[in-house]
Amino acid sequence: MKKKLGLWLVMICMLAVLGACGNKEDASGNAENSASTGTEATTNETDTADAAEGTRTIKYLDKEYTVPTEVNRIVITGSMEAMEDALVLDVHPVGAITFGGEFPEMYASITDQAESIGQKIEPNFETILSLKPDIILGSTKFKPEVAEQLSKIAPFIQVSHIATDWESNLNLLAELTGKQDQAKQEIEQYKAALTTAQAELGDKLENKKVLAVRIRNGQMYVYPESVFVNPILYGDLGFQVPAEIQAAKAQEALSVEKFAEMNPDYVFVQFETSENSDTPNALTDLQNNPIIQKTTALKENHAFVNVIDPLAEGGPAWSRIEFLKAAVEQLSK
């Protein structure tokens, strides 16, 4: 009996030990499961964060760029084209170009949240870095060393300064900011307005000479066929391209005598005071010049000054939309 009792006691002890071991394994297993659950939670959180702060690839003018999935903080430096596109799409950059340290009135509606990042061709790298941009939109006019420095701060895209790239430029900003539908609508509206304008003007201006000039530092300048407002006048509205415009390779000075020789029927003039600080009376002096006064445009009161903001580039979407309306209004008179 004692022997049986002893055996029972041994068996009970063994069961107790096995139970304890089992509990220990369970506890260990649970601890491992807890750790595993914690790792999965952390991984999921990381994946979510990566998704929120991830990247995507976009295509612009046959090049691919890696940009953040969400683009909220945009810096625009050097590119007046991007500034005008921001006007059209109501995009408010955190950093933007200033003139003489001030944002031009033309851009007041979109620079309410912006900080100056320097002049047009003089970006302030430290300020741009401090703004922690998601993306930087620069200019194709930037020197390689400037572009390289900016690309070290954030994803950097050089926006074309060629007027005929206006649709691609607008669509670029739209894709970055999720405003593709708005960009499409603006482009369609412009093309519809152009069709109306062509019908309205008809043949009444056939064989008429139309010229656009910009006054800088007291001097008249003309531009190639694909620059300034020329694509609108000669491409969209179909006016004959003057030989001087065809020959221009870049910004070309136009003398008073050459202007008189061209003798345009209509002339559109842009004059910005900040571009003529040393010659503030340049516009008046040219208008009063006896040689220029003998030209057809001046004699028939067909010289139109600043029909759009004088700081407008001429080629981007905003310039096109506004200049087309203004030009047709003047040419229809």
Side-chain angles (χ1 to χ4, degrees):
M1 184 73 180
K2 286 183 179 179
K3 210 177 269 187
K4 287 183 179 179
L5 182 60
L7 287 171
W8 280 107
L9 289 172
V10 170
M11 290 177 66
I12 291 170
C13 288
M14 288 178 67
L15 288 171
V17 170
L18 288 171
C21 289
N23 288 339
K24 184 176 181 181
E25 287 172 0
D26 288 345
S28 176
N30 287 337
E32 288 175 3
N33 288 338
S34 296
S36 176
T37 302
T39 302
E40 289 173 5
T42 302
T43 301
N44 290 338
E45 288 173 4
T46 303
D47 289 343
T48 302
D50 287 344
E53 300 175 2
T55 60
R56 56 189 162 119
T57 300
I58 64 172
K59 194 171 183 179
Y60 166 64
L61 295 180
D62 298 324
K63 285 187 177 182
E64 290 189 343
Y65 298 88
T66 300
V67 301
T69 302
E70 295 290 333
V71 174
N72 297 307
R73 300 181 63 80
I74 297 175
V75 163
I76 300 175
T77 174
S79 176
M80 302 307 295
E81 291 76 16
M83 289 291 289
E84 289 199 25
D85 290 341
L87 267 181
V88 174
L89 298 178
D90 192 33
V91 172
H92 297 237
V94 295
I97 305 163
T98 51
F99 289 75
E102 301 290 335
F103 291 117
E105 184 62 29
M106 173 181 172
Y107 299 108
S109 64
I110 60 165
T111 53
D112 54 323
Q113 303 166 22
E115 185 171 337
S116 169
I117 48 78
Q119 301 293 99
K120 184 176 178 180
I121 58 173
E122 299 174 351
N124 186 313
F125 300 116
E126 290 184 3
T127 301
I128 294 173
L129 179 63
S130 71
L131 291 174
K132 300 179 180 179
D134 295 321
I135 197 157
I136 301 171
L137 298 178
S139 172
T140 46
K141 292 182 180 180
F142 274 155
K143 294 179 179 179
E145 56 268 27
V146 175
E148 182 181 0
Q149 189 70 19
L150 290 168
S151 65
K152 292 178 181 178
I153 298 174
F156 173 63
I157 299 176
Q158 289 178 274
V159 179
S160 174
H161 69 281
I162 304 301
T164 48
D165 288 330
W166 73 277
E167 288 186 55
S168 295
N169 289 350
L170 187 66
N171 285 326
L172 167 64
L173 185 60
E175 187 168 0
L176 289 171
T177 58
K179 296 193 174 188
Q180 294 95 325
D181 289 344
Q182 185 178 345
K184 180 181 179 182
Q185 183 179 11
E186 294 289 350
I187 292 169
E188 289 176 349
Q189 286 178 346
Y190 174 78
K191 292 181 177 179
L194 177 59
T195 299
T196 301
Q198 291 168 335
E200 183 178 337
L201 293 176
D203 297 330
K204 68 176 67 175
L205 298 177
E206 189 175 3
N207 298 322
K208 295 292 186 180
K209 297 178 184 178
V210 181
L211 184 66
V213 302
R214 176 179 267 152
I215 301 174
R216 285 177 164 171
N217 299 315
Q219 173 72 56
M220 287 188 293
Y221 288 93
V222 293
Y223 297 84
E225 189 176 346
S226 63
V227 181
F228 193 35
V229 297
N230 290 345
I232 308 169
L233 292 174
Y234 308 125
D236 293 351
L237 292 175
F239 291 109
Q240 185 176 351
V241 186
E244 292 78 6
I245 301 301
Q246 290 179 334
K249 302 300 182 184
Q251 177 176 275
E252 301 278 352
L254 184 69
S255 67
V256 168
E257 291 75 18
K258 191 64 178 178
F259 180 89
E261 182 183 325
M262 293 178 72
N263 192 27
D265 296 289
Y266 296 86
V267 60
F268 292 91
V269 181
Q270 270 191 283
F271 177 82
E272 163 60 32
T273 55
S274 65
E275 295 180 334
N276 294 274
S277 55
D278 294 331
T279 55
N281 299 320
L283 175 62
T284 303
D285 291 343
L286 285 169
Q287 288 173 323
N288 293 333
N289 186 294
I291 297 176
I292 287 184
Q293 285 186 337
K294 292 179 182 178
T295 62
T296 302
L298 272 291
K299 286 192 297 184
E300 297 184 359
N301 199 28
H302 289 161
F304 313 117
V305 179
N306 294 342
V307 295
I308 59 174
D309 194 286
L311 283 177
E313 287 294 291
W318 186 90
S319 287
R320 283 178 178 266
I321 293 166
E322 298 302 322
F323 184 78
L324 180 64
K325 289 188 292 186
V328 171
E329 180 182 349
Q330 299 298 336
L331 293 170
S332 299
K333 292 179 178 179

